Amino acid sequence: MSDEEHHFESKADAGASKTFPQQAGTIRKNGYIVIKGRACKVVEVSTSKTGKHGHAKCHFVGIDIFNGKKLEDIVPSSHNCDVPHVNRTDYQLIDISEDGFVSLLTDNGNTKDDLKLPTDESLLTQIKDGFAEGKDLVVSVMSAMGEEQICALKDIGPK
């Protein structure tokens, strides 16, 4: 055996899945579901009775958590649906660049520079105005299925 250490530079993730399966009949309102390949928050669930030869079916109405579009899906209640792993992380806002990207401070002291400003007008003006006034702002970033977006803002006082 050799005593030298091996260092591997890998850009691949750990292979963790972006979704997990859950039976359609157990998904409730305010939960999350993947509809047409998009992560959605469930706003309405209705279950139809079984027909003469069929399964009970669940009718899901969801709002895409990133672009706000309304999506619908009908799935037999005994089948599995994909449910996205949704994470919400808070970062401190350091800077806003001219090209619409934000610079955020992570918990371990590193910076995160790959996020764009949100497209939601009211949140966008709150962030820009608060930053222009020199307030200490903390933004909440929602991430699911390889997408990330700023979804909320907190003011933690003046600098």
Side-chain angles (χ1 to χ4, degrees):
M1 287 283 157
S2 66
D3 292 329
E4 63 187 82
E5 288 185 33
H6 294 284
H7 295 286
F8 295 102
E9 285 294 319
S10 175
K11 295 290 179 200
D13 60 2
S17 176
K18 294 177 167 84
T19 62
F20 62 94
Q22 186 173 342
Q23 193 170 340
T26 63
I27 296 173
R28 298 282 168 246
K29 188 175 174 181
N30 292 333
Y32 294 99
I33 187 172
V34 176
I35 301 176
K36 296 183 180 111
R38 303 289 300 167
C40 298
K41 185 174 183 123
V42 179
V43 292
E44 190 181 321
V45 181
S46 55
T47 308
S48 63
K49 295 278 186 263
T50 54
K52 190 173 182 184
H53 300 290
H55 299 279
K57 292 198 169 54
C58 292
H59 175 243
F60 295 105
V61 178
I63 306 275
D64 189 312
I65 59 175
F66 295 115
N67 64 22
K69 286 191 177 137
K70 187 176 181 182
L71 297 165
E72 296 186 42
D73 201 6
I74 297 174
V75 185
S77 62
S78 57
H79 288 204
N80 280 349
C81 290
D82 283 335
V83 176
H85 291 286
V86 179
N87 293 323
R88 195 175 179 142
T89 319
D90 288 345
Y91 298 107
Q92 187 168 347
L93 181 66
I94 302 171
D95 191 24
I96 300 174
S97 63
E98 282 86 40
D99 56 357
F101 282 87
V102 293
S103 185
L104 305 172
L105 183 67
T106 62
D107 288 339
N108 60 7
N110 294 334
T111 58
K112 181 174 177 56
D113 302 311
D114 57 351
L115 265 171
K116 274 192 163 233
L117 281 165
T119 51
D120 178 36
E121 285 299 319
S122 65
L123 189 59
L124 181 64
T125 53
Q126 281 181 336
I127 291 173
K128 283 188 170 175
D129 293 350
F131 185 72
E133 291 168 20
K135 292 180 180 170
D136 257 348
L137 300 176
V138 172
V139 293
S140 292
V141 175
M142 181 123 32
S143 62
M145 299 178 63
E147 277 189 69
E148 289 183 310
Q149 184 176 317
I150 296 171
C151 62
L153 173 72
K154 286 183 219 147
D155 182 3
I156 56 170
K159 283 188 178 174

